[in-house]
Amino acid sequence: MKRFLVIGHKAPTAGEFALNDLPGGAGRLDVLCRSVNSCFFLSHDLRRDVECFLVLLGEPNPPKTIMISGEDVRHLNPDERSAGSLIKKALNIPCGNKFTESTKGFYVRNGGLKELLEEYEFAVLDENGTDIRDISPMPDNYILSDHMNFTEEEELLIKDLPKISAGPKVLHADHTIITILNESDRRE
Ligand SMILES: C[S@@+](CC[C@H](N)C(=O)[O-])C[C@H]1O[C@@H](n2cnc3c(N)ncnc32)[C@H](O)[C@@H]1O
């Protein structure tokens, strides 16, 4: 299983946002929706061996985490609005500290980065890290930020984790995920 955790620093934690304003009123949720698509979509197929965690830190109830399981997911289509709509449904159900399924393969709970770090071993995707091509075996689990830098509090939590670069240029989060999955595909 491969896991990608993307931190959405302004992404909403309630389902009241408008699906036609994902980049604006929804706190750059478009970045997270594209990251979901990068985790799962192949041409006419889905990556069933990937899980995607979206850590949402916007108002009104941060932090919340949405988990999407490639093995179980249904109703996800390769456009941002489709992922946005399933995230909206997840944010509209009551949630506690354990994952509750909102639609097939989409789960939501309270909590964020700290909880996930206690559950899995992650590497941090960072353009200044060690080149992925110099690392063997590849890590299974990766953390990325959205369009913003990691906060000081996040930096403290991840300071001892391995930092891995997907290449010499700063990429968008969704493109970084594709690059890492491509490297993994080649090795498999
Ligand atoms: C758009 S970048 C973040 C923008 C950046 N912090 C800034 O404001 O200049 C989104 C995320 O993609 C990942 N990323 C981008 N380029 C990368 C690279 N070459 N290698 C590894 N990770 C990369 C990092 O996790 C980064 O936080």
Side-chain angles (χ1 to χ4, degrees):
M1 187 63 71
K2 300 164 195 105
R3 298 182 180 87
F4 292 90
L5 182 175
V6 189
I7 301 181
H9 290 95
K10 303 282 181 200
T13 43
E16 283 127 31
F17 57 86
L19 285 175
N20 56 10
D21 190 22
L22 295 177
R28 296 307 313 266
L29 199 60
D30 60 315
V31 174
L32 300 193
C33 293
R34 285 195 293 277
S35 297
V36 170
N37 290 355
S38 294
C39 282
F40 298 113
F41 282 106
L42 297 165
S43 182
H44 303 293
D45 204 0
L46 280 179
R47 292 183 184 274
R48 298 291 179 191
D49 62 342
V50 175
E51 289 176 350
C52 176
F53 295 91
L54 305 176
V55 170
L56 313 179
L57 298 178
E59 294 301 324
N61 302 309
K64 275 193 183 180
T65 299
I66 290 179
M67 195 267 271
I68 304 130
S69 155
E71 203 174 348
D72 301 327
V73 74
R74 300 283 181 280
H75 317 302
L76 179 65
N77 294 309
D79 59 278
E80 284 167 35
R81 203 181 161 90
S82 168
S85 147
L86 295 173
I87 290 170
K88 191 174 169 81
K89 283 186 180 155
L91 293 175
N92 275 332
I93 66 166
C95 76
N97 296 335
K98 292 199 174 143
F99 280 116
T100 307
E101 193 171 45
S102 50
T103 54
K104 202 83 187 71
F106 268 67
Y107 307 80
V108 61
R109 75 175 181 195
N110 293 319
L113 177 62
K114 190 166 155 291
E115 288 76 6
L116 286 164
L117 289 174
E118 286 163 10
E119 292 163 350
Y120 302 105
E121 279 184 26
F122 284 97
V124 179
L125 284 166
D126 178 335
E127 60 275 14
N128 297 312
T130 309
D131 191 330
I132 188 74
R133 294 194 173 173
D134 294 332
I135 292 178
S136 186
M138 285 177 69
D140 292 324
N141 309 323
Y142 302 88
I143 299 175
L144 304 93
S145 184
D146 54 0
H147 60 298
M148 299 173 72
N149 288 331
F150 291 112
T151 63
E152 273 179 30
E153 192 185 336
E154 288 157 4
E155 291 283 8
L156 264 182
L157 288 172
I158 62 179
K159 71 177 168 30
D160 295 327
L161 302 183
K163 308 283 187 295
I164 295 187
S165 161
K169 307 261 188 203
V170 182
L171 306 172
H172 288 180
D174 56 323
H175 297 168
T176 307
I177 293 170
I178 292 281
T179 306
I180 292 292
L181 285 170
N182 176 261
E183 181 67 20
S184 170
D185 291 343
R186 287 166 178 275
R187 295 196 196 189
E188 281 167 16

